[in-house]
Amino acid sequence: MEGILERYQRYSFEEKAVLDPNIGDQANWGDEYGRLKSKLDALQKSQRQLLGEQLDSMTIKELQQLEQQLDSSLKHIRSRKNHLMFNSISELQKKEKSLTDQNGALQKLVEAEKEKNNALMNAHFREQQNGASTSAPSPSPSTIPDSLPTLNIGPCQLRGTGGESGPEPSPAQVNSGKLPPWMLRSVINR
């Protein structure tokens, strides 16, 4: 219980010290304000001089010191810039090497895929040739289009695809003024 009371008194005392500052502390604050104000003025003046402003009141020695300070700062800036550029270049070189390696791996993969496809095509071609020599000839190109999807324009249907047994319409009926004559010739040749 005593420990709790001691802590309470200590915290309440510290709180009172913060809320009720001594008059001596206020005087110290005034002195501190004066020092900080003069420091701020000196820093602002130095900054303006570094920017090339208010140089009229400076002596030759002060100007030489300012020039040396600027040269030193410039060397430091250039050194930092070069360091960052070298780091950036090395990172880009690493990325380039990585991408080159990935590109090589992808090219090998593509080549392997091409070889695999060529081998499959050759095997399929040999099977067709072996099957064609031992069995009936392969279907002629004129019969292959019937099994492929076709595009029908207009009311005309290919033979054997429709369920109707009616007569085939003439090219003029198919055209009905919608197809140009050069397309009509290809319909007539069917």
Side-chain angles (χ1 to χ4, degrees):
M1 182 64 114
E2 290 178 18
I4 294 173
L5 290 174
E6 287 176 14
R7 280 188 297 178
Y8 172 75
Q9 288 176 355
R10 188 176 23 171
Y11 287 125
S12 65
F13 178 73
E14 288 174 1
E15 186 177 319
K16 286 180 185 178
V18 170
L19 295 177
D20 188 26
N22 295 337
I23 297 174
D25 289 341
Q26 290 178 353
N28 289 340
W29 288 351
D31 294 340
E32 183 74 18
Y33 172 77
R35 276 189 290 124
L36 290 176
K37 177 72 172 153
S38 63
K39 230 183 218 184
L40 177 66
D41 290 340
L43 287 174
Q44 286 177 338
K45 181 180 178 184
S46 175
Q47 181 182 16
R48 285 191 296 269
Q49 289 172 347
L50 287 173
L51 294 174
E53 300 171 359
Q54 297 181 352
L55 300 177
D56 297 336
S57 63
M58 294 181 73
T59 65
I60 292 177
K61 188 174 183 177
E62 290 174 338
L63 288 173
Q64 288 174 341
Q65 288 175 348
L66 181 63
E67 183 180 17
Q68 288 175 352
Q69 184 181 2
L70 288 172
D71 285 339
S72 167
S73 297
L74 189 58
K75 285 178 186 176
H76 180 70
I77 290 168
R78 285 181 179 155
S79 170
R80 178 68 179 149
K81 181 186 80 167
N82 288 337
H83 178 71
L84 290 175
M85 287 178 65
F86 287 134
N87 286 344
S88 176
I89 288 171
S90 67
E91 287 295 319
L92 290 173
Q93 287 172 341
K94 288 177 185 176
K95 284 182 183 180
E96 177 188 21
K97 186 180 182 314
S98 173
L99 290 173
T100 302
D101 293 345
Q102 287 178 357
N103 191 18
L106 288 174
Q107 284 178 346
K108 288 178 184 178
L109 185 64
V110 167
E111 289 297 323
E113 191 67 30
K114 282 182 182 179
E115 289 176 10
K116 182 179 175 183
N117 286 340
N118 286 339
L120 287 173
M121 293 296 288
N122 288 337
H124 183 66
F125 181 70
R126 283 189 215 118
E127 286 177 10
Q128 283 183 346
Q129 284 182 341
N130 290 340
S133 62
T134 58
S135 64
S138 63
S140 66
S142 62
T143 60
I144 292 175
D146 289 339
S147 65
L148 297 175
T150 59
L151 175 64
N152 294 330
I153 301 175
C156 178
Q157 294 182 351
L158 291 176
R159 283 177 263 159
T161 58
E164 302 175 13
S165 61
E168 186 176 331
S170 70
Q173 290 173 336
V174 170
N175 185 17
S176 66
K178 294 181 182 176
L179 295 175
W182 61 271
M183 287 184 81
L184 185 60
R185 277 186 254 134
S186 64
V187 173
I188 292 172
N189 292 339
R190 268 193 178 175

